[in-house]
Amino acid sequence: KAKAQAQKRWQDLAEAENQLGQIAVAQDAFGEALPHFQNVLSLNKSNNAPDGVISAFNSLSMTCNTMGDTLMANLYSLQAGQFALENGYFNTEPPAENAENLNYQWAGNGDQATNYQTALTPNTTKLQKFNLEASEGLARSYESTGRLDSALLNYKTARSIEKGMLEDRITTLEAALTENKELNAQLDRVNWRIGNRQEELRRQKFISLFLGLILLVLLGSGFMVLRSYRSRQRAHQQLALKSLRSQMNPHFIFNSLNSVNSYIAKNDPRAANKYLSEFARLMRGVLENSEQEFIPLQTEIQILELYLGLEHLRFQDRFDYEFNVSNELDRDSILIPPMLVQPYIENAVWHGLRYKKEKGKLSVSIFPQEQALLIEICDDGIGRKRSAELKTHNQNQQQSTGLKNTAARLDLINTLYNQQLKINIEDLDPEAADVGTRVEIKLMLSENSLA
């Protein structure tokens, strides 16, 4: 509290002195104003008030200038600038016009000039330019009043300051040059490393492109070889399928011709002619379809009906048959491999029903099951086990070849056309005397194959 009161007292005193000085200036009593402003300057300096000090210097400078004492006006102005610079009021260079004002008329006051000269601070980096211009101004002022020794001394001081500034500049430039050389050296090393790296990257890129080209050629060659291999393999498979497809059991053909011969021997030309005519239709259909990989279901049904009709003419005292085809099927749009069902019907007749004591029955059913076509061939013949016991060696060999060819056809069809043909053969009733056999052929259908 006491400190605050003391500060207020000197501030009030300084304000009072300043008011008195301003009143004297207003009354043109400039000589009386100067002591008041000197007291303001002293109070602000004593209490470390930079703003008050600068304001007091400016008041003294303006009062002296009004009185016509330009030398003192300039000195007070320079001291204000010097004080402001020392207390951080200038961020860059001090104003040069204060020093240039010393070029004004000297007014014969050499003692005041000497007093100002002793007030100059030692040279610092920040004050060099200001002191240089102040020394040159003092030298010109001394020279104008005839005080040549003092003028020479200030010129030497100015040159010394200028030399120091030049040396500092040279030192700065040399340091910058040295730093620049080092930077250039570093840049050269970096460029060298970059050049080497770029060269290495170019080599790696060339090697990568070369290896990529080789890999591309190898891949292309491998693709062509694989494509050629698959093409040849497919051609071989298609040829094998065509060969198997064109085969019809010679046992059936031989017996069909024997049946014709039997009708002729019995002097029954009408029956022989009818049989031969139906047989010719069957052979024509088989030969025509042997060139096709797939035929409509309706065409296959017609061929099977012809075949069963011929077999029934020959063994009509051995079995009856029925043909059941679902009306849900679109017979013309569903495609199946030709002569796929015939070998299983032939087996049912020749190895199941022919040896049965009483008359048997054969049924062929074709119907949809979920998304598949199911062909079911059922007979109530003697069964596979009993049939195998009754067969001769030649008959066993013929059946083995026929079933083997059929199995080979199925494998090729599934492989070539991505089909899912499945065949299942089972006994109807293993405990019964006449066991019977059921064959199921399953072929997947598309959704638009149903009527």
Side-chain angles (χ1 to χ4, degrees):
K1 185 176 182 181
K3 183 177 180 181
Q5 291 177 349
Q7 183 176 4
K8 189 174 187 307
R9 281 196 300 270
W10 79 259
Q11 287 178 341
D12 291 341
L13 182 58
E15 179 63 25
E17 291 287 350
N18 186 59
Q19 291 294 331
L20 290 173
Q22 295 296 337
I23 292 172
V25 170
Q27 295 175 351
D28 293 333
F30 301 111
E32 296 178 6
L34 287 176
H36 294 297
F37 291 141
Q38 290 285 357
N39 291 335
V40 174
L41 177 62
S42 178
L43 286 168
N44 281 282
K45 280 187 175 181
S46 300
N47 290 279
N48 194 22
D51 291 339
V53 172
I54 295 174
S55 178
F57 273 131
N58 288 331
S59 296
L60 288 167
S61 177
M62 287 186 293
T63 302
C64 290
N65 189 55
T66 305
M67 293 170 63
D69 191 354
T70 56
L71 178 61
M72 291 303 300
N74 287 332
L75 286 173
Y76 282 130
S77 180
L78 282 170
Q79 290 181 51
Q82 182 76 15
F83 184 85
L85 181 62
E86 291 173 350
N87 286 273
Y89 280 77
F90 296 127
N91 294 326
T92 56
E93 296 291 338
E97 61 271 11
N98 293 326
E100 291 294 336
N101 288 335
L102 292 177
N103 291 323
Y104 293 166
Q105 189 176 0
W106 179 247
N109 197 340
D111 293 335
Q112 294 295 338
T114 304
N115 291 334
Y116 170 72
Q117 187 177 10
T118 60
L120 290 176
T121 60
N123 287 345
T124 63
T125 303
K126 194 170 185 181
L127 299 177
Q128 280 180 338
K129 184 176 180 181
F130 181 81
N131 291 335
L132 172 63
E133 293 173 350
S135 297
E136 288 179 342
L138 285 172
R140 286 192 292 271
S141 297
Y142 281 126
E143 186 178 2
S144 65
T145 60
R147 299 179 65 177
L148 299 180
D149 292 340
S150 297
L152 180 59
L153 179 62
N154 279 279
Y155 276 127
K156 288 182 178 180
T157 301
R159 299 289 76 79
S160 176
I161 294 173
E162 189 176 28
K163 180 181 178 183
M165 292 175 64
L166 182 60
E167 290 176 348
D168 290 343
R169 181 63 177 163
I170 292 173
T171 302
T172 303
L173 290 175
E174 288 178 346
L177 182 60
T178 302
E179 183 179 1
N180 187 55
K181 288 181 178 179
E182 179 62 26
L183 289 175
N184 287 334
Q186 292 179 0
L187 183 61
D188 290 341
R189 290 193 293 270
V190 170
N191 288 334
W192 181 80
R193 288 196 295 268
I194 291 174
N196 286 345
R197 181 59 179 166
Q198 289 177 342
E199 182 64 27
E200 183 181 355
L201 289 175
R202 282 194 292 269
R203 287 197 300 268
Q204 291 179 354
K205 184 177 180 181
F206 175 77
I207 293 172
S208 299
L209 290 175
F210 181 72
L211 293 177
L213 181 62
I214 292 177
L215 181 60
L216 188 62
V217 171
L218 291 176
L219 288 175
S221 301
F223 174 76
M224 295 300 295
V225 171
L226 181 62
R227 183 178 178 182
S228 176
Y229 169 75
R230 287 180 175 176
S231 178
R232 290 197 302 271
Q233 185 183 41
R234 185 177 179 86
H236 292 160
Q237 290 173 339
Q238 288 176 333
L239 183 62
L241 182 60
K242 183 177 180 179
S243 175
L244 290 171
R245 191 170 58 237
S246 64
Q247 295 179 12
M248 190 173 182
N249 196 329
H251 184 268
F252 163 73
I253 299 175
F254 176 77
N255 283 292
S256 296
L257 294 177
N258 278 340
S259 296
V260 174
N261 186 50
S262 174
Y263 288 132
I264 295 174
K266 292 178 181 179
N267 199 20
D268 190 355
R270 180 177 294 181
N273 185 55
K274 180 181 178 181
Y275 190 92
L276 190 59
S277 176
E278 293 296 311
F279 179 74
R281 287 180 58 198
L282 176 63
M283 290 298 99
R284 181 178 179 180
V286 170
L287 291 175
E288 287 178 350
N289 294 328
S290 65
E291 296 298 322
Q292 305 298 322
E293 296 177 350
F294 290 89
I295 61 173
L297 176 62
Q298 178 61 29
T299 303
E300 179 72 0
I301 290 173
Q302 291 173 353
I303 291 176
L304 292 177
E305 287 178 337
L306 274 175
Y307 172 73
L308 265 175
L310 287 175
E311 291 289 32
H312 187 256
L313 280 176
R314 189 186 311 165
F315 302 112
Q316 56 186 336
D317 58 335
R318 293 293 181 184
F319 74 98
D320 290 325
Y321 75 93
E322 62 180 2
F323 223 102
N324 302 311
V325 181
S326 173
N327 292 327
E328 297 180 20
L329 296 172
D330 186 355
R331 301 184 184 186
D332 293 324
S333 66
I334 297 176
L335 301 178
I336 67 171
M339 295 298 288
L340 180 66
V341 184
Q342 184 271 335
Y344 299 101
I345 295 177
E346 183 176 343
N347 276 341
V349 173
W350 280 85
H351 305 295
L353 296 171
R354 191 171 64 130
Y355 296 108
K356 189 173 181 177
K357 294 180 180 180
E358 65 273 8
K359 197 171 188 178
K361 184 178 181 180
L362 174 66
S363 66
V364 179
S365 302
I366 304 175
F367 55 92
Q369 187 182 73
E370 296 178 352
Q371 290 298 319
L373 175 69
L374 193 64
I375 303 174
E376 188 177 75
I377 305 157
C378 293
D379 70 84
D380 58 356
I382 62 175
R384 291 179 295 173
K385 182 178 179 182
R386 179 62 178 156
S387 175
E389 294 173 353
L390 296 175
K391 287 177 187 176
T392 64
H393 173 74
N394 288 336
Q395 288 175 331
N396 279 325
Q397 187 176 11
Q398 288 167 0
Q399 186 195 29
S400 175
T401 302
L403 293 179
K404 183 178 179 181
N405 287 347
T406 302
R409 278 191 70 195
L410 290 178
D411 289 340
L412 287 173
I413 290 170
N414 287 335
T415 301
L416 282 171
Y417 304 107
N418 195 26
Q419 295 292 323
Q420 299 182 30
L421 271 170
K422 297 179 181 178
I423 294 182
N424 182 50
I425 304 175
E426 61 181 7
D427 295 326
L428 286 176
D429 188 0
E431 303 298 330
D434 294 330
V435 176
T437 306
R438 177 169 57 223
V439 179
E440 289 183 351
I441 303 174
K442 190 173 184 180
L443 174 66
M444 300 304 297
L445 294 176
S446 61
E447 294 182 359
N448 58 356
S449 298
L450 301 179

